């Protein structure tokens, strides 16, 4: 749902934003896993990152997990508890939640509090995906040059 709710493919620039989201997550996970000496397949961590970001978009959306009604923001933690109960290592799940929380902090919390954006989708991704320049976030570039 994250790929269609937050990054709808029919809007200009959203495909590039989704690719940047995935690349940021992969890069942050690889760097974190290197320093923590976790040389695993990081696919489950990527799934948890996307699940965490999705659950924060509409945190009070009711969902059902094994017949239990929970709110969507509980889902990553419920899945983490299920992994622990099944005697699986929770390290990758925690890594995914950490990187998802880092993404939300850098893209939503920091701009809301200090009115600055720290992460920008690179221009080449907009050109690569849409064949046109990035949509202007500041309202610049609409005038004529004299």
């Amino acid at each position: 749902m994250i790929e269609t709710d937050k990054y709808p493919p029919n809007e200009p620039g959203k495909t590039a934003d989704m690719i940047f989201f995935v690349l940021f997550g992969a890069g942050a996970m690889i760097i974190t896993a290197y320093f923590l000496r976790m040389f695993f397949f990081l696919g489950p961590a990527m799934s948890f990152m996307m699940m965490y970001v999705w659950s924060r978009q509409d945190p009070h959306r009711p969902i059902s997990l094994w017949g239990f009604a929970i709110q969507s923001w509980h889902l990553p933690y419920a899945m983490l508890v299920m992994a622990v109960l099944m005697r699986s290592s929770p390290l990758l799940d925690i890594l995914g939640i950490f990187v998802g929380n880092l993404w939300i902090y850098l893209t939503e919390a920091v701009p809301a509090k200090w009115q600055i954006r720290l992460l920008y989708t690179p221009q080449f991704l907009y050109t690569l995906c849409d064949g046109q320049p990035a949509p202007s976030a500041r309202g610049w570039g609409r005038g004529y040059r004299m």
Side-chain angles (χ1 to χ4, degrees):
M1 290 303 232
I2 190 169
E3 67 275 2
T4 57
D5 289 346
K6 189 167 184 168
Y7 304 107
N10 57 349
E11 289 185 24
K14 294 300 182 177
T15 303
D17 291 340
M18 179 67 183
I19 291 172
F20 182 65
F21 167 62
V22 171
L23 290 176
F24 171 83
M29 284 180 213
I30 289 170
I31 291 169
T32 307
Y34 175 78
F35 286 114
L36 295 177
R37 306 274 189 242
M38 296 172 32
F39 300 107
F40 303 119
F41 174 67
L42 297 174
M46 181 68 79
S47 298
F48 259 81
M49 179 194 73
M50 290 186 180
M51 180 185 1
Y52 183 82
V53 171
W54 170 82
S55 71
R56 293 298 177 175
Q57 286 179 2
D58 187 9
H60 301 292
R61 178 185 295 179
I63 60 171
S64 177
L65 178 69
W66 293 96
F68 296 102
I70 61 174
Q71 294 178 343
S72 67
W73 72 272
H74 292 127
L75 182 63
Y77 304 109
M79 296 292 285
L80 179 66
V81 168
M82 286 178 49
V84 170
L85 291 175
M86 290 191 273
R87 296 185 181 179
S88 175
S89 175
L91 290 176
L92 291 175
D93 304 344
I94 293 170
L95 177 63
I97 291 172
F98 170 75
V99 173
N101 195 17
L102 181 65
W103 174 263
I104 289 174
Y105 180 76
L106 293 176
T107 59
E108 295 176 13
V110 170
K113 184 166 177 106
W114 292 291
Q115 288 78 38
I116 58 170
R117 283 183 54 195
L118 297 176
L119 293 177
Y120 288 95
T121 303
Q123 179 64 40
F124 78 90
L125 284 177
Y126 288 114
T127 306
L128 181 69
C129 294
D130 298 327
Q132 57 189 356
S136 177
R138 296 180 185 95
W140 297 348
R142 292 191 179 97
Y144 292 99
R145 190 172 197 177
M146 298 178 104

